[in-house]
Amino acid sequence: MKATLPRTKAKIALILIAVVIIVSLGIRIYNSYRFHLEKQTRFMMDTYVTLYAVGPEKITSRAIDLALDRMQEVDEKFNALNPESPIYAFNHRNVPIADEEILNVIRYALKVSATSGGAFDITIAPLVKLWGFYGDSPRLPRAKEIEDTLSKIGYKYLLFRDGKLDKTKADIAIDLGGIAKGYGVLQASKVLLEEGVASALIDAGGDVYALGKKGRKFWKVGIRNPRGEELLGYVEVEDLAVMGSGDYERFFIKDSRRFHHILDPRTGYPAQDLSGVTLIHPDPMVADAWCTALFVLGPGKGLEIIDKISDMEAILITTEGEKLYSSGLKHAVKGLGEFN
Ligand code: ADP
Ligand code: MG
């Protein structure tokens, strides 16, 4: 009996070690299955869209494919330059828009127009065209051309008739470029959820939506500096969109002045006071539209409005380089020594 006791103990110890090894191996395999990170990039909406999804490979690859397909569908349908789109038919042939999906986005765009006092206006298209921002060689129009074109701008010339969007003036044309990308991102996130992905990041050329967390951690999203390569800092997010509008995306310089693609519907010229806006909101479509709206509104009015809209935070960077934070955000941005 005495002699066999140590052997039994050794056996138990061996079995315990084996159990520990098997369990930890099992946990590893299980985690790599659950927390596998998959990534795919496609060019659309004028930019590179990258989707990252966490989960079992079988689920993530299919979900990413379908989500990117859905975004591409939104891009084609909402693109004012696509001759097949209802937007093109509305702009060029005065065909009322009946597509329910487009109408819903337009309804929201009109709300933003009303709340922003017309700073956001989807009837901006004739101005975008005049400035040449639909092509590769934008130019500074003459003052008279701008003045003439301003008579074709105004969301008040849009109306709903028999459930369709119509216009009260023939040369009204719309451009959903300030909101469609956000809507596309929202749709992609819905597809991911439907396909069983609860953890993903959609990056549409720096406009980001974080679905759930990155496994057990938050997603980290960088805040761009409009005048430099380095980031201003980053935020840690979950189920939030972080969207940007800037004077650095499409612009030209003439007589040392910068002219860019976010136009003030009230003056006909590029919005003056800001060089960048980063906006955070749970809904990427809301974030996209308001980002453009705030850019046009400028720092004073912009911050005032933002503090009245729930769940919305923003960082505004003036052309002088001053950084302005909405009340809830100042302490959430990390990596900014002086602000933390
Ligand atoms: P990006 O699409 O470059 O990320 P934005 O979301 O700020 O940037 O959208 C800019 C686009 O919105 C422009 O290219 C134009 O199509 C459209 N746009 C420009 N000015 C306005 C405006 N005042 N209101 C609504 N849309 C605008
Ligand atoms: Mg926008």
Side-chain angles (χ1 to χ4, degrees), residues 120 177-179 244-245 287-292:
F120 185 84
I179 190 168
S245 281
D288 191 9
W290 271 103
C291 199
T292 311

Side-chain angles (χ1 to χ4, degrees), residues 54-126:
V54 181
E57 198 170 348
K58 237 174 65 192
I59 290 180
T60 52
S61 6
R62 182 185 145 85
I64 291 184
D65 276 342
L66 292 175
L68 285 170
D69 289 351
R70 177 76 182 107
M71 261 183 105
Q72 212 157 342
E73 196 179 282
V74 169
D75 184 20
E76 281 158 21
K77 198 166 172 180
F78 285 73
N79 193 337
L81 301 180
N82 172 15
E84 309 289 316
S85 76
I87 312 286
Y88 189 94
F90 181 83
N91 290 351
H92 296 270
R93 301 193 296 277
N94 295 335
V95 180
I97 299 177
D99 184 291
E100 217 27 69
E101 184 176 28
I102 299 179
L103 292 182
N104 278 336
V105 173
I106 291 179
R107 277 188 200 104
Y108 184 69
L110 292 175
K111 270 192 198 158
V112 180
S113 296
T115 320
S116 67
F120 185 84
D121 193 331
I122 56 169
T123 65
I124 200 80

Side-chain angles (χ1 to χ4, degrees), residues 62-275:
R62 182 185 145 85
I64 291 184
D65 276 342
L66 292 175
L68 285 170
D69 289 351
R70 177 76 182 107
M71 261 183 105
Q72 212 157 342
E73 196 179 282
V74 169
D75 184 20
E76 281 158 21
K77 198 166 172 180
F78 285 73
N79 193 337
L81 301 180
N82 172 15
E84 309 289 316
S85 76
I87 312 286
Y88 189 94
F90 181 83
N91 290 351
H92 296 270
R93 301 193 296 277
N94 295 335
V95 180
I97 299 177
D99 184 291
E100 217 27 69
E101 184 176 28
I102 299 179
L103 292 182
N104 278 336
V105 173
I106 291 179
R107 277 188 200 104
Y108 184 69
L110 292 175
K111 270 192 198 158
V112 180
S113 296
T115 320
S116 67
F120 185 84
D121 193 331
I122 56 169
T123 65
I124 200 80
L127 265 178
V128 180
K129 189 175 173 204
L130 176 70
W131 280 85
F133 283 115
Y134 287 128
D136 293 331
S137 38
R139 61 169 191 112
L140 175 62
R142 281 177 288 118
K144 176 79 173 79
E145 292 177 290
I146 290 183
E147 197 186 305
D148 291 347
T149 308
L150 277 176
S151 69
K152 301 177 192 166
I153 312 292
Y155 67 96
K156 304 237 157 95
Y157 297 118
L158 297 173
L159 86 164
F160 287 91
R161 196 183 279 153
D162 304 330
K164 294 178 188 170
L165 185 85
D166 214 333
K167 46 180 132 174
T168 55
K169 212 177 185 183
D171 35 19
I172 293 297
I174 58 171
D175 172 351
L176 295 171
I179 190 168
K181 202 200 279 176
Y183 180 71
V185 169
L186 174 69
Q187 291 307 305
S189 75
K190 286 190 173 167
V191 171
L192 290 171
L193 272 176
E194 279 162 21
E195 292 299 316
V197 171
S199 166
L201 192 85
I202 304 167
D203 179 353
D207 286 334
V208 170
Y209 178 69
L211 175 68
K213 285 187 175 179
K214 185 185 186 186
R216 294 191 182 95
K217 297 180 197 140
F218 288 107
W219 291 101
K220 287 183 184 175
V221 181
I223 309 279
R224 258 182 300 189
N225 179 357
R227 297 283 180 274
E229 283 298 301
E230 82 287 6
L231 294 173
L232 281 180
Y234 68 89
V235 282
E236 291 186 306
V237 290
E238 173 186 6
D239 293 326
L240 282 176
V242 183
M243 299 263 164
S245 281
D247 65 2
Y248 46 86
E249 304 206 31
R250 257 176 288 158
F251 68 94
F252 61 93
I253 308 269
K254 186 163 170 23
D255 302 333
S256 20
R257 278 184 66 197
R258 180 187 287 256
F259 297 94
H260 59 83
H261 70 311
I262 304 175
L263 302 167
D264 188 332
R266 300 160 298 189
T267 64
Y269 286 85
Q272 294 278 321
D273 302 333
L274 295 171
S275 62

